Amino acid sequence: STLTEEELNHLKKMAKQVKKGGVIFHLSPISMVNWGYWNINPKAFKEFYKDWEILEEWAVKKEHTVPLMYDRASIASEVSMYFVARKR
């Protein structure tokens, strides 16, 4: 897993609050210096929500959005992501 045990426990608690058919939304920094202590790897959400219907995954830099790529491409600085999934 790309998540620490603490991160995994937080995601489990959030996911437990979503009813079947409900939607969860995450907005997280990918490459933003001085934005909290951690930048979450985009694969972490994809891995954790593998049994959910993934509705949206985008990388965002200011007003520009692009689909998230999961290969080892370089990511510009000051990029965040949003991730939306529906519980099956």
Side-chain angles (χ1 to χ4, degrees):
S1 173
T2 58
L3 297 168
T4 66
E5 186 175 336
E6 184 177 4
E7 291 166 334
L8 187 58
N9 286 335
H10 287 299
L11 283 176
K12 285 179 181 178
K13 288 177 186 177
M14 287 185 278
K16 187 177 179 179
Q17 300 301 313
V18 179
K19 293 180 181 180
K20 186 175 181 177
V23 174
I24 196 160
F25 170 82
H26 293 283
L27 177 62
S28 178
I30 296 175
S31 61
M32 299 179 79
V33 176
N34 295 324
W35 186 271
Y37 293 108
W38 296 277
N39 289 307
I40 303 218
N41 186 315
K43 288 184 179 183
F45 291 125
K46 191 169 186 85
E47 180 181 311
F48 182 80
Y49 292 106
K50 65 182 176 263
D51 295 328
W52 293 45
E53 177 187 1
I54 297 171
L55 302 175
E56 298 282 340
E57 307 171 83
W58 293 93
V60 181
K61 182 171 180 161
K62 299 196 186 234
E63 65 277 349
H64 302 289
T65 60
V66 296
L68 277 173
M69 305 302 243
Y70 289 99
D71 57 6
R72 292 178 79 56
S74 63
I75 294 182
S77 64
E78 301 301 313
V79 173
S80 58
M81 69 170 163
Y82 73 82
F83 183 92
V84 184
R86 178 177 293 123
K87 193 172 199 176
R88 295 181 183 179

